[in-house]
């Protein structure tokens, strides 16, 4: 029995020792693995994990630059900034987005418009991005949210800068507006490598000068390194790189002239463009009606957007830039230049100007605005009295191939290149244009007929130009053929140093036309404002010399034999009232094109507006019944430079305050 017991004990002891060896071996292996992992983490991967740890401790906070100001030629502020608090929600950090919004609504008023806008912004944003729920909180609302901040993870109150346009509708089609960065904007920023400069920002220029000069106005973002605790709360600032504020834009535009033009238009629709012929600077740029750009900054609601789009007066259409109209008789001075330069007529030639004109072999009558006609006239006289039949016959004799190239020299049917987006081309008719325009139609529609040219001679037919093109052509006429590129911005001023970079006048070319022909046509235009001329009433008691041309553009064709009656015609189908002019004639300082939609004769509506503007711009005279409307502007202009500098300083201070303000 004893040997068996001894063997069993020995076997158990051997087995125990084996187990101990295996256990010790496993422990040693684990320690070796642990040591190897330690070496991997602490030695080989030290730099990597050190960076991660540093990032956990330090947050890089972008600092938005102060957007540049936009000022008129006298320093009056047209676009500025102000600070306000915004309630923002980061969806990924909340304990249920809907529940959070519902609870917040018990603390501050969340309107249906706020809710709709919030949902729209949510659809355009990522879950980890803060989305504004309510804009421009009052001080009381800000305090209430701050008191309950502990209840709402992912909810912040942030101090932000907002854009303000003091002149609202008056400058809406020039200044434009900024709006929230959407997906399309984001993609464009990525393509251009500008994403970093917009990190933390929500807005970008969407229309007008705000869009075209975005790079100048936006500035360069700064950043701040903030030490944070485990909860992500800021403890202290470690390093700060300040932003470079956006540059200020100083325009050639005179807001006093713009405001006076707006008052003179009243409730009527139309457009007006005034240009300095010597530089190309745009002095006034009005489209009536306008719209309130503030509606678009924080996101326009559906009902307002629908109302603006469906409004028959089309307030969103920039008529000065994109509206195309037949020019009516304002086309005649340029036709006269084409006739003289092509040798189709001489300055002394006298031709019939009867009550109607008929084509050979046709009974159709092209009637004159004066039923009895004007007897006979030379070219200058035909301009003065605006003889339609004279220009019908002239156009027929010349043909479109002679007319088109000379009219194109004035820039008609071409973009002027003004510093605004979306300029329309207009239509300067030609055989090639008609064939292309009606390419999908039968051959008999595409073909150019000799009769097509007759109506073109008086600015009707296929003719269609923008008020900007007509103002530019008038400036070229006034300047004896020197073509300056029209521009709104005159200077770009560095907001930090105050140094300005002038936008030099760009004399693109000079028309190779005879100086004597320019002088001849200008004399005819000057006579328009003298007794016998179509605008003689506004030419009375002129303290300066002035040349102009009235125009009445048909909107709908009148049947043969029918008589036009404005009273019997629906307003939107009535004739448009045109007037182009420049002054002083010997050394022009201002050239203008005015169209008042559906207002009838050019001498009745558009011409008086021009006379009042010229009186103000050249003589400082304001119509007695409108004097009060300009007092505020004049007061601002008195100390314009000081005011603009002070405003810039205030905006910068507000930006610093907004950047430094902690979230409650």
């Amino acid at each position: 029995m004893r040997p068996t017991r001894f063997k069993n004990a020995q076997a158990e002891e051997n087995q125990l020792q084996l187990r101990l060896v295996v256990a010790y071996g496993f422990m040693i292996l684990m320690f070796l693995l642990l040591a190897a992992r330690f070496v991997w983490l602490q030695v080989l991967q030290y730099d990597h994990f050190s960076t991660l740890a540093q990032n956990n401790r330090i947050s890089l906070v972008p600092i938005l630059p102060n957007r540049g100001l936009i000022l008129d030629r006298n320093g009056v502020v047209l676009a500025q900034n102000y600070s306000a608090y915004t309630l923002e929600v980061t969806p990924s950090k909340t304990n249920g987005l809907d529940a959070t919004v519902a609870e917040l609504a018990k603390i501050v008023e969340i309107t249906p418009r706020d809710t709709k806008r919030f949902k729209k912004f949510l659809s355009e944003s990522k879950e980890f991005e803060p989305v504004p729920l309510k804009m421009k909180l009052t001080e009381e609302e800000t305090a209430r949210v701050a008191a309950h901040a502990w209840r709402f993870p992912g909810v912040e109150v942030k101090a932000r800068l907002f854009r303000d346009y003091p002149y609202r509708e008056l400058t809406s089609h020039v200044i434009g507006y900024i709006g929230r960065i959407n997906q399309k904007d984001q993609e464009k920023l990525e393509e251009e490598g500008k994403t970093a400069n917009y990190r933390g920002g929500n807005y970008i220029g969407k229309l007008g000068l705000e869009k075209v000069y975005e790079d100048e106005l936006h500035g360069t973002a700064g950043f701040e390194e903030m030490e944070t605790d485990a909860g992500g709360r800021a403890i202290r600032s470690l390093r700060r790189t300040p932003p470079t504020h956006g540059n200020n834009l100083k325009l050639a535009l005179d807001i006093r002239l713009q405001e006076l033009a707006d008052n003179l238009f009243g409730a009527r629709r139309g457009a007006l463009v005034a240009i300095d012929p010597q530089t190309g600077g745009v002095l006034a740029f009005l489209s009536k009606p306008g719209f309130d750009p503030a509606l678009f900054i924080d996101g326009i609601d559906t009902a307002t957007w629908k109302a603006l789009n469906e409004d028959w007066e089309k307030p969103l259409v920039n008529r000065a830039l994109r509206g195309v109209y037949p020019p009516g008789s304002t086309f005649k001075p340029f036709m006269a230049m084409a006739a003289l330069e092509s040798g189709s007529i001489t300055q002394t030639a006298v031709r019939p100007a009867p009550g109607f004109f008929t084509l050979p072999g046709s009974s159709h009558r092209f009637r004159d605005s004066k039923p009895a006609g004007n007897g006979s006239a030379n070219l200058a006289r035909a301009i003065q009295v605006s003889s339609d039949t004279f220009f019908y016959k002239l156009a027929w004799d010349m043909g479109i191939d002679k007319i088109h190239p000379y009219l194109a020299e004035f820039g008609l049917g071409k973009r002027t290149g003004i510093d605004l987006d979306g300029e329309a081309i207009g239509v300067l008719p030609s055989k090639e244009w008609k064939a292309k325009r009606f390419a999908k139609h039968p051959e008999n529609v595409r073909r150019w007929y000799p009769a097509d040219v007759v109506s073109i001679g008086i600015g009707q037919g296929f003719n269609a130009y923008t008020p900007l093109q007509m103002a530019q052509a008038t400036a070229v006429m006034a300047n004896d053929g020197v073509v300056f590129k029209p521009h709104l911005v005159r200077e770009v001023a560095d907001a930090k140093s105050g140094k300005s970079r002038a936008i030099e006048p760009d004399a693109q070319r000079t028309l190779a036309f005879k100086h004597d022909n320019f002088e001849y046509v200008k004399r005819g235009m000057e006579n328009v404002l003298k007794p016998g001329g179509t605008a003689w009433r506004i030419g009375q008691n002129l303290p300066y010399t002035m040349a102009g041309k009235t125009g009445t553009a048909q909107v709908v064709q009148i049947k043969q034999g029918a008589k036009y009656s404005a009273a019997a015609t629906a307003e939107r189908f009535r004739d448009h009232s045109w007037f182009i002019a420049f002054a002083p004639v010997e050394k022009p300082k201002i050239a203008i094109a005015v169209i008042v939609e559906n207002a009838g004769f050019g001498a009745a509506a558009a011409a008086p507006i021009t006379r009042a503007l010229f009186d103000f711009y050249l003589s400082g005279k304001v119509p007695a019944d409108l004097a009060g409307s300009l007092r505020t502007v004049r007061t601002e202009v008195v100390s314009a430079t000081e005011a603009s500098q002070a405003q810039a300083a205030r905006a910068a201070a507000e930006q610093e305050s907004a950047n430094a303000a902690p979230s409650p």
Side-chain angles (χ1 to χ4, degrees):
M1 296 293 293
R2 286 180 180 176
T4 302
R5 288 178 180 175
F6 176 77
K7 288 180 180 179
N8 289 340
Q10 187 67 36
E12 288 176 1
E13 184 177 355
N14 291 340
Q15 191 175 17
L16 179 61
Q17 289 177 350
L18 179 61
R19 287 176 180 173
L20 289 172
V21 170
V22 171
Y24 283 129
F26 181 75
M27 290 174 63
I28 291 170
L29 179 61
M30 290 298 101
F31 275 113
L32 289 174
L33 289 174
L34 186 61
R37 183 64 175 167
F38 178 81
V39 171
W40 170 259
L41 294 175
Q42 294 293 325
V43 180
L44 299 178
Q45 292 292 307
Y46 172 80
D47 291 338
H48 173 68
F49 287 103
S50 176
T51 302
L52 291 179
Q54 187 76 358
N55 288 341
N56 286 335
R57 187 175 67 90
I58 299 175
S59 295
L60 200 62
V61 181
I63 305 174
L64 301 180
N66 179 27
R67 193 172 182 85
L69 308 177
I70 302 178
L71 310 99
D72 91 327
R73 68 188 298 114
N74 297 305
V76 179
V77 178
L78 307 179
Q80 59 190 356
N81 310 305
Y82 68 96
S83 62
Y85 286 102
T86 300
L87 179 61
E88 301 188 4
V89 180
T90 304
S92 62
K93 294 182 180 180
T94 63
N95 296 328
L97 182 60
D98 293 338
T100 297
V101 173
E103 287 299 311
L104 285 170
K106 297 176 182 178
I107 299 173
V108 297
E109 182 185 8
I110 307 295
T111 66
R113 185 174 187 270
D114 292 331
T115 303
K116 288 180 181 179
R117 184 173 55 204
F118 180 64
K119 290 179 179 179
K120 180 177 182 292
F121 290 164
L122 274 177
S123 66
E124 298 172 351
S125 307
K126 299 181 175 65
E127 282 197 353
F128 55 83
E129 293 178 338
V131 179
L133 175 60
K134 185 175 179 62
M135 305 284 192
K136 303 167 190 173
L137 297 175
T138 65
E139 291 183 6
E140 183 182 344
E141 289 173 330
T142 303
R144 285 204 298 267
V145 174
H148 293 270
W150 59 274
R151 295 172 49 200
F152 300 105
V155 175
E156 297 176 283
V157 172
K158 291 186 177 180
R160 295 199 181 270
L161 280 178
F162 291 89
R163 199 69 160 166
D164 179 51
Y165 304 103
Y167 290 92
R168 306 290 179 181
E169 292 87 350
L170 184 60
T171 57
S172 57
H173 289 291
V174 178
I175 306 300
Y177 56 83
I178 63 170
R180 282 185 63 84
I181 296 173
N182 56 30
Q183 187 61 38
K184 185 177 180 181
D185 297 324
Q186 191 64 42
E187 290 172 359
K188 186 177 180 182
L189 290 173
E190 289 174 0
E191 288 176 8
E192 297 174 352
K194 298 176 182 177
T195 306
N197 198 31
Y198 285 81
R199 191 165 289 126
N202 296 317
Y203 297 96
I204 194 170
K206 295 282 189 176
L207 187 73
L209 295 176
E210 290 277 29
K211 179 182 179 182
V212 175
Y213 287 88
E214 171 65 22
D215 290 344
E216 295 283 359
L217 291 165
H218 182 265
T220 305
F223 65 88
E224 188 169 18
E225 290 183 1
M226 297 292 297
E227 185 176 358
T228 58
D229 61 16
R233 290 181 290 272
I235 298 174
R236 62 190 176 99
S237 175
L238 300 177
R239 186 163 66 96
R240 189 175 190 274
T241 301
T244 301
H245 298 320
N247 295 329
N248 299 335
L249 303 182
K250 193 168 187 179
L251 310 186
L253 185 139
D254 188 333
I255 193 61
R256 300 171 303 170
L257 198 65
Q258 183 95 346
E259 189 175 30
L260 177 57
D262 183 72
N263 276 276
L264 291 165
F265 262 87
R268 297 175 294 186
R269 304 174 311 283
L272 176 150
V273 179
I275 296 176
D276 180 348
Q278 307 298 322
T279 65
V282 177
L283 304 170
F285 192 95
L286 182 69
S287 178
K288 291 275 292 181
F291 61 91
D292 185 356
L295 294 171
F296 293 86
I297 297 175
D298 300 327
I300 190 168
D301 62 89
T302 306
T304 305
W305 174 249
K306 183 179 180 182
L308 286 172
N309 271 287
E310 294 180 355
D311 189 337
W312 74 275
E313 292 189 318
K314 301 187 183 302
L316 296 179
V317 174
N318 189 335
R319 287 167 160 83
L321 187 74
R322 296 190 54 78
V324 288
Y325 308 86
S329 293
T330 59
F331 188 74
K332 290 173 181 174
F334 309 106
M335 263 294 296
M337 283 297 299
L340 290 170
E341 287 294 320
S342 65
S344 301
I345 196 171
T346 65
Q347 295 180 8
T348 56
V350 176
R351 293 186 177 181
F356 63 88
F357 168 74
T358 57
L359 292 171
S362 172
S363 61
H364 181 86
R365 292 186 173 188
F366 293 88
R367 294 173 295 183
D368 194 89
S369 56
K370 186 177 180 181
N374 290 280
S376 59
N378 61 13
L379 191 57
R381 174 69 177 168
I383 293 172
Q384 181 185 13
V385 299
S386 199
S387 171
D388 290 336
T389 52
F390 185 98
F391 282 95
Y392 284 142
K393 181 65 164 59
L394 183 62
W396 171 257
D397 290 342
M398 291 177 67
I400 196 65
D401 290 337
K402 278 188 177 180
I403 294 172
H404 181 273
Y406 292 100
L407 271 295
E409 288 292 299
F410 285 96
L412 298 175
K414 298 177 184 176
R415 292 187 177 94
T416 66
I418 192 173
D419 44 351
L420 286 175
D421 273 354
E423 182 182 359
I425 297 176
V427 177
L428 176 61
S430 67
K431 293 177 180 177
E432 293 74 20
W433 170 84
K434 189 178 181 184
K436 185 177 180 180
R437 169 64 179 81
F438 299 101
K440 295 182 180 180
H441 292 73
E443 194 276 335
N444 65 315
V445 177
R446 299 194 306 270
R447 186 191 314 156
W448 183 272
Y449 293 94
D452 288 340
V453 79
V454 177
S455 294
I456 288 170
I458 64 162
Q460 292 288 160
F462 296 124
N463 280 308
Y465 310 111
T466 67
L468 173 60
Q469 287 175 329
M470 293 304 295
Q472 172 72 343
T474 305
V476 173
M477 178 74 77
N479 212 22
D480 290 343
V482 180
V483 182
F484 282 94
K485 182 179 177 180
H487 59 277
L488 283 156
V489 176
R490 189 170 70 169
E491 296 176 18
V492 178
D494 188 285
K496 205 168 186 179
S497 68
K499 293 181 180 179
S500 295
R501 181 177 77 252
I503 306 297
E504 297 296 334
D506 183 8
Q508 297 179 312
R509 57 196 172 87
T510 300
L511 275 56
F513 293 173
K514 295 176 182 177
H515 176 75
D516 187 52
N517 286 338
F518 276 115
E519 291 301 311
Y520 179 83
V521 172
K522 287 197 284 187
R523 283 198 302 274
M525 294 177 70
E526 195 172 357
N527 289 338
V528 168
L529 287 96
K530 295 179 179 179
T534 54
W536 69 271
R537 285 186 176 85
I538 71 155
Q540 298 180 81
N541 304 315
L542 272 174
Y544 47 83
T545 55
M546 178 179 175
K549 183 68 193 78
T550 56
T552 306
Q554 286 185 351
V555 176
V556 293
Q557 189 174 5
I558 304 171
K559 293 181 180 179
Q560 182 75 184
K563 188 176 181 180
Y564 172 78
S565 171
T569 306
E571 182 183 350
R572 68 182 69 184
F573 300 124
R574 295 173 188 169
D575 295 344
H576 297 320
S577 176
W578 271 103
F579 193 66
I580 61 170
F582 55 89
V585 175
E586 54 277 4
K587 191 174 182 181
K589 295 181 180 179
I590 182 170
I592 201 166
V594 183
I595 181 171
V596 185
E597 292 184 5
N598 313 120
F601 295 116
I609 292 175
T610 303
R611 169 66 193 268
L613 291 175
F614 280 16
D615 282 351
F616 174 70
Y617 189 74
L618 298 173
S619 306
K621 181 182 176 183
V622 181
D625 58 331
L626 297 177
S629 65
L630 292 180
R631 285 175 187 164
T632 302
V633 176
R634 281 181 166 177
T635 301
E636 291 179 21
V637 173
V638 170
S639 57
T641 304
E642 293 84 350
S644 62
Q645 290 174 349
Q647 201 281 335
R650 286 197 305 272
E654 288 180 345
Q655 175 70 73
E656 297 299 326
S657 174
N659 291 331
S663 298

